[in-house]
Amino acid sequence: MIDLLEINLDKASKIIKKASHITAFTGAGISVESGIPPYRGKGGLWTKYDTKVLEISFFYSKPVEAWEIIRKIFYEYFDKAKPNAAHSVLAKMEKKGMLKAVITQNIDNLHYEAGNETVFEFHGNSKVMLCTKCKRRHKASSVKLDELPPKCIACGGLLKPDFIFFGEGIPQKAYQNSFAEADKADVFLLIGTTGLVQPAAYIPVKAKQNGATVIEVNTERTAFTDQITDIFLQGKAGEVMSKLSDLIFADN
């Protein structure tokens, strides 16, 4: 019986080893094996919680109500997550000089914790809190959440997680750097992203238009699969990336 995954893994590893500029683009699926559920789909967070808590207008009008859910999701549940094998492989690829950057839609900080250094966080980072008044940033681990909403120790202003709420714009630096990668990459590695969230979903499309080979890792086919993907590696991110790593670094 022909194992399509093994054939595609072999193809992908050969392309990766010859590449001069590899960029990884990650979504919620890469962190599922770390214990973080996806936002959409079966078992997703938005099947359990109302998305209004992350609407910026709702946050400012009802900060206590918004923070009660935000604390539960991002600072009681997500905080327990640790990098998995997929994160570790990307960190190794960067350390070896193969991977030039990670663009992530995730806000969980797991790429940094795994050891990646060049990470463009398209939607921000939950491990940092921003004062909405004086704009000072605080490490989330230093902020007490026993009384809500949390306040800035410098000015008493309302704190919000430093990630993008519905109704907010993408951070300019992350936006510019991410699209710049789409211009440079000859291989674009998509891991755990569905291609449903804009404008992030246009980045891999732009890379494809610029001639990049698109290698996709996902448990299911996505909006990208039939449109821009050259090689589809179906399976869990950690398992697939571990197998790919074995092939890439077989001689090391």
Side-chain angles (χ1 to χ4, degrees):
M1 184 176 177
I2 298 175
D3 190 327
L4 185 58
L5 177 59
E6 294 300 324
I7 292 173
N8 284 340
L9 280 166
D10 184 61
K11 289 180 181 178
S13 66
K14 289 176 180 176
I15 290 170
I16 286 171
K17 284 192 280 189
K18 292 179 181 178
S20 60
H21 193 112
I22 302 171
T23 300
F25 181 89
T26 68
I30 196 174
S31 295
V32 169
E33 290 160 89
S34 294
I36 297 178
Y39 292 94
R40 295 166 179 79
K42 186 178 180 181
L45 288 170
W46 301 144
T47 64
K48 301 176 183 178
Y49 301 103
D50 194 329
T51 57
K52 71 179 182 183
V53 299
L54 290 187
E55 291 174 1
I56 194 64
S57 58
F58 182 85
F59 178 80
Y60 282 121
S61 63
K62 296 184 178 180
V64 174
E65 187 175 339
W67 258 110
E68 286 174 348
I69 301 301
I70 290 169
R71 177 176 64 184
K72 184 179 296 184
I73 296 174
F74 300 105
Y75 301 104
E76 292 178 2
Y77 189 43
F78 277 31
D79 260 10
K80 299 175 184 177
K82 302 296 181 185
N84 62 55
H87 296 103
S88 297
V89 171
L90 292 180
K92 182 177 181 179
M93 288 176 68
E94 182 179 357
K95 186 176 181 180
K96 295 285 187 179
M98 301 174 70
L99 182 70
K100 304 305 180 185
V102 175
I103 302 166
T104 187
Q105 299 170 86
N106 299 337
I107 59 173
D108 52 33
N109 200 56
L110 294 181
H111 286 298
Y112 280 120
E113 292 178 25
N116 279 106
E117 295 182 6
T118 305
V119 182
F120 303 133
E121 295 172 312
F122 207 74
H123 295 144
N125 191 318
S126 65
K127 298 300 176 72
V128 178
M129 291 190 194
L130 174 69
C131 176
T132 57
K133 185 178 180 181
C134 72
K135 307 306 178 184
R136 178 175 176 176
R137 283 176 165 79
H138 307 258
K139 287 185 178 180
S141 58
S142 70
V143 177
K144 293 183 179 180
L145 296 177
D146 46 353
E147 291 185 14
L148 299 178
K151 300 293 180 64
C152 175
I153 58 172
C155 73
L158 171 68
L159 293 181
K160 80 174 275 292
D162 196 22
F163 55 74
I164 302 306
F165 281 50
F166 298 117
E168 290 190 296
I170 304 301
Q172 186 176 15
K173 188 175 181 180
Y175 185 95
Q176 292 174 341
N177 286 334
S178 296
F179 276 94
E181 283 299 311
D183 291 332
K184 301 173 189 174
D186 57 351
V187 171
F188 225 70
L189 187 56
L190 308 183
I191 307 173
T193 179
T194 59
L196 297 177
V197 179
Q198 293 290 358
Y202 185 62
I203 299 170
V205 175
K206 192 167 187 286
K208 177 68 173 180
Q209 291 173 344
N210 288 334
T213 298
V214 177
I215 300 171
E216 181 182 6
V217 179
N218 215 309
T219 55
E220 304 289 343
R221 299 178 76 83
T222 72
F224 292 126
T225 311
D226 296 322
Q227 301 297 320
I228 64 170
T229 297
D230 294 293
I231 300 175
F232 181 56
L233 305 175
Q234 186 165 11
K236 294 180 179 179
E239 295 176 5
V240 172
M241 290 302 294
S242 292
K243 291 179 179 179
L244 190 58
S245 177
D246 289 342
L247 293 171
I248 294 170
F249 299 111
D251 300 326
N252 293 357

